[in-house]
Amino acid sequence: MLTLYGAEITSRLLLGTARYPSPAVLAEAVRQSATEVVTVSLRREMSGGRSGGTFFEMVRALGVRILPNTAGCHSVAEAVLTARMARELFSTDWIKLEVIGNHDTLQPDVFGLVEAARILVGEGFEVFPYTTDDLVVAERLLDAGCKVLMPWCAPIGSAAGPLNPTALRAMRAHFPDVSLIVDAGIGRPSHATAVMELGFDAVLLNTAVAGAADPAAMAAAFAAAIAAGNQAFNAGLMEPRDMAVPSTPVIGKAVFT
Amino acid sequence: MKLIVNGEALNVAAETLSELLVLMEYEGDWLATAVNGELVHREDRFDRSLNDNDRIEILSPMQGG
């Protein structure tokens, strides 16, 4: 069981709601993934509230928790205001906090991220910060009051998989009691298994499912992969070694010469 | 009155934020509003008077990752 700000979650897969070919495909992917948390964004409404209302009714009908995000925000002021507006709309203190710092890599502006996190925690928000794998930044976010950290493993939408497993391993080792969710960069189920085998608590992904030829089937594949990685970590993985070690006992071996 | 609504300049005869929403045919519970960078709660829209060149943001839920 995964606990996020006091909420007990069974599934360790959190799913984004963007880029699906249709609302029906999104709904089926959510069902097949067995996720209990989906991320939702806010955008300027252009059709009198009808398009946002239709979408949100559909998401609410899925019966999952909503994790609103501040996607696309490039400043502290923008992210904080968007978070406040999200709380107004979704009636939740949860916020996936993004403060983007670079247009090409979409990597977080970690300085702004910490500042925004501090403001929002002070206002009672339960912040899920999208961050890098930097330990010092992680410390600052925890100091600001974050109980969950969401490091990237590669740039958003890149599907590159874990580029720096050593950094992710270090993060797990340094913060054994913090809920760690890999957010961004996962491209295939084996990537998700790999980060779960490092001891991460969950994976948040979107494009790898939404962009699959069969999103619902891919969602199911990710759910299985994440569960397998978590089970393997808990079971205790053996460390790799350079030399061969016979798996069959040598004692009692017949001698024919 | 000249307002900037979701980034677009508009001339609208609205004294308050709630009047603006009605005039622009924005309806439903799925709208969050801000004026000049500050959140205006749903229940405060009736009392939030508008002035020339106010910047108004009207947001609603959308797909996101």
Side-chain angles (χ1 to χ4, degrees), chain A residues 3 64 73 77 101 107 121-122 130 138 140 155 169 171 218 242 247 254:
Chain A
T3 303
V64 294
C73 291
Q107 72 189 84
V121 168
Y130 163 60
R140 297 292 187 277
R169 190 179 290 112
M171 185 171 270
M218 189 61 81
D242 293 333
S247 52

Side-chain angles (χ1 to χ4, degrees), chain A residues 70 73-84 97-99 116 120:
Chain A
T70 63
C73 291
H74 284 74
S75 72
V76 172
E78 236 184 335
V80 167
L81 177 58
T82 302
R84 290 170 180 159
L97 182 61
E98 292 186 25
V99 183
L120 292 172

Side-chain angles (χ1 to χ4, degrees), chain A residues 112-199:
Chain A
L113 182 70
V114 171
E115 189 182 340
R118 197 174 299 281
I119 294 168
L120 292 172
V121 168
E123 295 181 10
F125 281 91
E126 295 174 326
V127 178
F128 294 66
Y130 163 60
T131 184
T132 63
D133 53 23
D134 187 291
L135 293 180
V136 180
V137 174
E139 287 279 11
R140 297 292 187 277
L141 288 167
L142 297 175
D143 289 346
C146 297
K147 308 290 186 199
V148 176
L149 298 175
M150 299 210 300
W152 67 350
C153 76
I156 292 171
S158 69
L163 297 179
N164 193 347
T166 304
L168 295 178
R169 190 179 290 112
M171 185 171 270
R172 178 72 287 172
H174 275 74
F175 308 111
D177 301 323
V178 177
S179 294
L180 299 179
I181 302 172
V182 168
D183 177 17
I186 297 285
R188 47 187 63 207
S190 56
H191 296 157
T193 304
V195 298
M196 293 302 290
E197 285 176 350
L198 292 173

Side-chain angles (χ1 to χ4, degrees), chain B residues 6-7 20 27-28 35 37 39 42-43 48 52-54 61 63:
Chain B
N6 282 350
L20 174 71
E27 54 192 36
V35 177
L39 170 70
R42 194 175 285 124
E43 61 271 22
R48 183 62 170 84
D52 257 339
N53 298 314
D54 276 351
Q63 296 90 338

Side-chain angles (χ1 to χ4, degrees), chain A residues 11-254:
Chain A
S11 169
R12 292 172 183 274
L13 167 57
L14 292 73
L15 202 57
T17 56
R19 296 171 171 263
Y20 288 85
S22 71
V25 172
L26 162 62
E28 187 55 22
V30 168
R31 271 191 286 274
Q32 291 295 323
S33 72
T35 186
E36 291 157 64
V37 180
V38 297
T39 54
V40 176
S41 194
L42 282 85
R43 286 291 180 269
R44 285 173 168 170
E45 175 62 60
M46 298 297 184
S47 60
R50 287 172 285 278
S51 67
T54 303
F55 169 71
F56 196 47
E57 287 296 343
M58 190 273 289
V59 171
R60 285 209 321 163
L62 297 171
V64 294
R65 283 176 187 276
I66 304 292
L67 173 57
N69 69 25
T70 63
C73 291
H74 284 74
S75 72
V76 172
E78 236 184 335
V80 167
L81 177 58
T82 302
R84 290 170 180 159
M85 295 177 85
R87 180 152 70 176
E88 167 93 351
L89 270 183
F90 301 113
S91 302
T92 176
D93 290 330
W94 281 17
I95 190 73
K96 176 184 162 183
L97 182 61
E98 292 186 25
V99 183
I100 299 301
N102 183 283
H103 287 280
D104 293 329
T105 62
L106 298 180
Q107 72 189 84
D109 167 359
V110 294
F111 307 99
L113 182 70
V114 171
E115 189 182 340
R118 197 174 299 281
I119 294 168
L120 292 172
V121 168
E123 295 181 10
F125 281 91
E126 295 174 326
V127 178
F128 294 66
Y130 163 60
T131 184
T132 63
D133 53 23
D134 187 291
L135 293 180
V136 180
V137 174
E139 287 279 11
R140 297 292 187 277
L141 288 167
L142 297 175
D143 289 346
C146 297
K147 308 290 186 199
V148 176
L149 298 175
M150 299 210 300
W152 67 350
C153 76
I156 292 171
S158 69
L163 297 179
N164 193 347
T166 304
L168 295 178
R169 190 179 290 112
M171 185 171 270
R172 178 72 287 172
H174 275 74
F175 308 111
D177 301 323
V178 177
S179 294
L180 299 179
I181 302 172
V182 168
D183 177 17
I186 297 285
R188 47 187 63 207
S190 56
H191 296 157
T193 304
V195 298
M196 293 302 290
E197 285 176 350
L198 292 173
F200 276 73
D201 295 290
V203 170
L204 196 165
L205 56 91
N206 189 154
T207 312
V209 168
D214 184 341
M218 189 61 81
F222 268 107
I226 288 165
N230 181 242
Q231 195 173 3
F233 176 75
N234 290 332
L237 291 151
M238 68 174 285
E239 291 303 314
R241 49 186 146 198
D242 293 333
M243 300 300 290
V245 177
S247 52
T248 303
V250 178
I251 296 170
K253 183 175 86 66

